[in-house]
Amino acid sequence: MHYDLEFKGMIVPATAPGHLAKELEAFVDSVVAELERLGAQDIDVSTDLATGGVRVAIAVDADELLAGQEIGSGTVRTAFHAAGAATPGWRVDWVKACTLPNDELVEA
């Protein structure tokens, strides 16, 4: 089964950088590159450079909902960590996560 996952949060720099919007944009670009490297499907990432808000959506294939949640959250976590989150540099305060089955049936 195909599942759509969405995560929302705030990206917080560990230090107070001088050019937050530019550095945030580079960080998010690194996250997207890591998601692509990991083979994530249907990647959709948006940010609010003024506030640090981030929305990450991907799709996964899994046998059941719980497995889809585990695969998706693991993929997102790995991408953020590889880009520098949870290490000296950036932290993400996640505020929402959602996993929904996506039946790709289309009525003609």
Side-chain angles (χ1 to χ4, degrees):
M1 179 166 257
H2 200 69
Y3 293 95
D4 292 326
L5 291 94
E6 179 180 277
F7 300 87
K8 290 184 180 180
M10 297 296 293
I11 300 175
V12 182
T15 59
H19 302 93
L20 179 61
K22 185 176 180 180
E23 292 179 23
L24 180 59
E25 186 175 17
F27 174 73
V28 171
D29 288 345
S30 295
V31 169
V32 171
E34 288 298 326
L35 286 169
E36 290 171 348
R37 187 185 67 74
L38 292 167
Q41 303 172 42
D42 302 331
I43 300 167
D44 183 12
V45 178
S46 59
T47 57
D48 180 337
L49 297 178
T51 65
V54 63
R55 178 190 160 277
V56 179
I58 64 171
V60 300
D61 292 314
D63 292 334
E64 60 184 8
L65 180 70
L66 182 57
Q69 290 173 328
E70 290 173 354
I71 293 166
S73 63
T75 300
V76 170
R77 182 180 61 245
T78 299
F80 271 83
H81 186 73
T87 60
W90 299 95
R91 181 182 88 233
V92 181
D93 294 337
W94 296 109
V95 296
K96 180 180 178 183
C98 179
T99 304
L100 298 171
N102 177 351
D103 58 7
E104 297 180 338
L105 299 177
V106 177
E107 289 188 27

